[in-house]
């Protein structure tokens, strides 16, 4: 049996004296319409992102050259790179690539939607990277970058569309997935959650699986009363599992409080949506997540599971 192995995200940078190259990038901003955003995770309503003017503000070539000159890396071998990658199709578009020695660009660089439709019009969002990069290979030296493509400094903007973080699309629970997760032959559903605090979007850390035949029947008859009952049960089950997983991961590093969640945007949005659904506050939600059976009872009430179950049972007689 193959079991999943969790790997921690760690960035190994065995280089010294490169910090000067990072300074000019401190003021890089992504503009969505007239609003400036700092690097990191950015979540916006779909209607706000859909037709907005997109641009990125950059330091001048002279500022970057001056900064790189304070490092051991020759300016002549370095460049400025601006890359954008769509979340859905993982298509990457090179927005700007210039050698620093001859770089000439506008301080506000327009992100042209028409030139990269699959990226900038991706309804799930995109990632934008601004980096100072070594474009030519160098003689290998201890504690210094030498391979072409190595970045000296960078800023990443992870733009995504605001979603209902308590809603997850089910996937087929195939035999291969059962074997991978060590599940028995007759298992009906499975929710896999891993590294949920590390992700900008919960959908990247959560997988909801339903038996293939059952899922096909649900999709074929989504408004059938028994199908509605099962969909509600699945939503409750997935929400309960995700909530307890977030609490467990949070507890590994700190006291699980609403303030502690501020460092984890996706988990924070999940609990905020859950608090609105249950019409309570964040502290109460965290307490409920520590008692799954009580959380389930509150979810059943919020999703009106009792009424749906009664209707399904009456119609089955």
């Amino acid at each position: 049996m193959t079991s999943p192995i969790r790997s921690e995200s760690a960035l190994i940078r065995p280089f010294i004296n490169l910090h000067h190259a990072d300074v000019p990038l401190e003021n890089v901003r992504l503009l969505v319409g007239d609003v400036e955003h700092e690097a990191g995770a950015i979540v916006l309503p779909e209607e706000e992102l859909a037709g907005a003017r997109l641009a990125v503000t950059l330091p001048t070539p002279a500022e970057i050259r001056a900064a790189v000159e304070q490092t051991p890396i020759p300016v002549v071998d370095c460049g400025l790179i601006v890359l954008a990658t769509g979340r859905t199709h993982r298509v990457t578009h090179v927005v700007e690539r210039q050698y620093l020695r001859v770089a000439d660009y506008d301080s506000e660089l327009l992100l042209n939607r028409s030139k990269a439709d699959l990226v900038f019009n991706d309804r799930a969002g995109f990632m934008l990277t601004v980096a100072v990069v070594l474009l030519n290979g160098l003689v290998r030296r201890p504690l210094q970058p030498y391979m072409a493509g190595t970045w000296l400094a960078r800023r990443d903007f992870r733009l995504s569309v605001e979603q209902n973080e308590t809603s997850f699309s089910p996937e087929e629970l195939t035999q291969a997935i059962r074997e991978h997760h060590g599940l028995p032959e007759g298992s009906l559903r499975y929710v896999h959650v891993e590294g949920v605090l590390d992700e900008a979007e919960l959908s990247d850390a959560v997988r909801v699986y339903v038996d293939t035949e059952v899922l096909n029947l649900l999709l074929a008859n989504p408004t059938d009363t028994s199908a509605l009952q099962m969909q509600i049960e699945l939503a409750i089950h997935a929400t309960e599992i995700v909530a307890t997983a977030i609490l467990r991961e949070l507890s590994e590093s700190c006291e699980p409080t609403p303030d502690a969640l501020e460092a984890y945007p996706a988990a924070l949005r999940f609990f905020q949506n859950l608090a609105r659904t249950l019409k309570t506050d964040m502290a109460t939600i965290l307490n409920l997540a520590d008692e799954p059976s009580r959380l389930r009872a509150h979810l059943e009430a919020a999703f009106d599971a009792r009424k749906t179950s009664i209707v399904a049972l009456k119609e089955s007689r």
Side-chain angles (χ1 to χ4, degrees), residues 210-231:
V210 177
D211 175 81
T212 300
E213 185 176 357
V214 173
L215 181 59
N216 289 336
L217 288 170
L218 284 175
L219 296 175
N221 304 283
T223 60
D224 184 84
T225 52
S226 58
L228 290 173
Q229 181 190 15
M230 188 165 192
Q231 290 172 58

Side-chain angles (χ1 to χ4, degrees), residues 24 58 68 92 124 134 144 169 172-173 183 192 196 226 239 313:
L58 301 171
V68 174
T92 296
L134 182 62
Q144 298 297 329
S169 298
E172 293 184 24
L173 180 54
L183 304 176
H192 180 69
V196 68
S226 58
T239 302
L313 287 169

Side-chain angles (χ1 to χ4, degrees), residues 117-172:
D117 178 69
L118 290 178
V119 177
F120 297 130
N121 291 322
D122 189 333
R123 296 183 65 177
F126 60 88
M127 175 182 281
L128 184 78
T129 297
V130 178
V132 179
V133 178
L134 182 62
L135 293 180
N136 298 324
L138 302 177
V139 175
R140 185 169 185 170
R141 299 181 187 280
L143 301 179
Q144 298 297 329
Y146 64 93
M147 295 180 62
T150 304
W151 56 269
L152 313 186
R154 66 187 285 178
R155 291 293 184 276
D156 291 318
F157 299 84
R158 299 183 300 277
L159 193 65
S160 58
V161 174
E162 192 174 70
Q163 298 176 352
N164 180 359
E165 296 288 356
T166 57
S167 176
F168 305 100
S169 298
E171 304 172 46
E172 293 184 24

Side-chain angles (χ1 to χ4, degrees), residues 87 163 165 167-168 171 199-207 266:
R87 291 180 60 85
Q163 298 176 352
E165 296 288 356
S167 176
F168 305 100
E171 304 172 46
E199 300 292 351
E201 291 292 329
L202 286 191
S203 58
D204 294 332
V206 178
R207 290 291 182 271

Side-chain angles (χ1 to χ4, degrees), residues 8-315:
E8 298 296 332
S9 58
L11 190 61
I12 300 174
R13 299 278 291 168
F15 307 134
I16 60 172
N17 299 325
L18 296 184
H19 59 280
H20 291 291
D22 188 70
V23 175
L25 299 191
E26 291 178 353
N27 294 322
V28 173
R29 297 291 185 270
L30 176 65
L31 299 177
V32 181
D34 297 325
V35 181
E36 288 189 354
H37 297 275
E38 296 184 358
I42 305 166
V43 181
L44 298 172
E46 184 176 355
E47 61 272 14
E48 183 176 332
L49 178 61
R53 177 182 182 272
L54 301 172
V56 59
T57 61
L58 301 171
T60 67
E63 290 173 328
I64 300 180
R65 281 193 289 264
V68 174
E69 285 171 354
Q70 298 181 65
T71 75
I73 310 303
V75 173
V76 69
D77 294 303
C78 296
L80 177 75
I81 301 291
V82 181
L83 297 175
T85 303
R87 291 180 60 85
T88 301
H89 303 289
R90 305 296 181 184
V91 175
T92 296
H93 171 65
V94 179
V95 180
E96 195 73 33
R97 182 184 184 277
Q98 297 203 22
Y99 276 95
L100 290 182
R101 69 178 187 272
V102 293
D104 182 21
Y105 54 79
D106 295 330
S107 58
E108 184 176 301
L109 185 64
L110 181 66
L111 306 180
N112 193 324
R113 291 177 181 270
S114 63
K115 290 184 178 180
D117 178 69
L118 290 178
V119 177
F120 297 130
N121 291 322
D122 189 333
R123 296 183 65 177
F126 60 88
M127 175 182 281
L128 184 78
T129 297
V130 178
V132 179
V133 178
L134 182 62
L135 293 180
N136 298 324
L138 302 177
V139 175
R140 185 169 185 170
R141 299 181 187 280
L143 301 179
Q144 298 297 329
Y146 64 93
M147 295 180 62
T150 304
W151 56 269
L152 313 186
R154 66 187 285 178
R155 291 293 184 276
D156 291 318
F157 299 84
R158 299 183 300 277
L159 193 65
S160 58
V161 174
E162 192 174 70
Q163 298 176 352
N164 180 359
E165 296 288 356
T166 57
S167 176
F168 305 100
S169 298
E171 304 172 46
E172 293 184 24
L173 180 54
T174 63
Q175 187 59 29
I177 292 172
R178 284 190 177 95
E179 292 176 359
H180 179 78
H181 293 289
L183 304 176
E185 179 72 26
S187 51
L188 171 64
R189 65 192 178 197
Y190 177 65
V191 180
H192 180 69
V193 184
E194 184 175 20
V196 68
L197 293 183
D198 300 328
E199 300 292 351
E201 291 292 329
L202 286 191
S203 58
D204 294 332
V206 178
R207 290 291 182 271
V208 178
Y209 298 105
V210 177
D211 175 81
T212 300
E213 185 176 357
V214 173
L215 181 59
N216 289 336
L217 288 170
L218 284 175
L219 296 175
N221 304 283
T223 60
D224 184 84
T225 52
S226 58
L228 290 173
Q229 181 190 15
M230 188 165 192
Q231 290 172 58
I232 289 174
E233 175 59 28
L234 184 63
I236 291 171
H237 179 66
T239 302
E240 175 190 338
I241 294 296
V242 174
T244 54
I246 291 173
L247 184 69
R248 183 176 62 252
E249 289 191 23
L250 192 63
S251 299
E252 291 174 358
S253 58
C254 63
E255 180 70 21
T257 64
D259 289 340
L261 280 171
E262 295 287 343
Y264 307 102
L268 176 63
R269 292 195 303 274
F270 174 84
F271 274 104
Q272 286 173 336
N273 285 336
L274 194 51
R276 284 193 291 269
T277 299
L278 300 187
K279 298 179 181 178
T280 187
D281 56 75
M282 293 281 285
T284 300
I285 293 296
L286 285 168
N287 288 332
L288 288 173
D290 198 31
E291 299 181 65
S293 60
R294 290 187 64 233
L295 175 59
R296 168 169 281 271
H298 282 262
L299 290 169
E300 287 175 346
F303 283 87
D304 211 359
R306 175 181 175 274
K307 179 180 178 181
T308 307
S309 297
I310 291 173
V311 171
L313 287 169
K314 284 183 177 180
E315 290 194 3

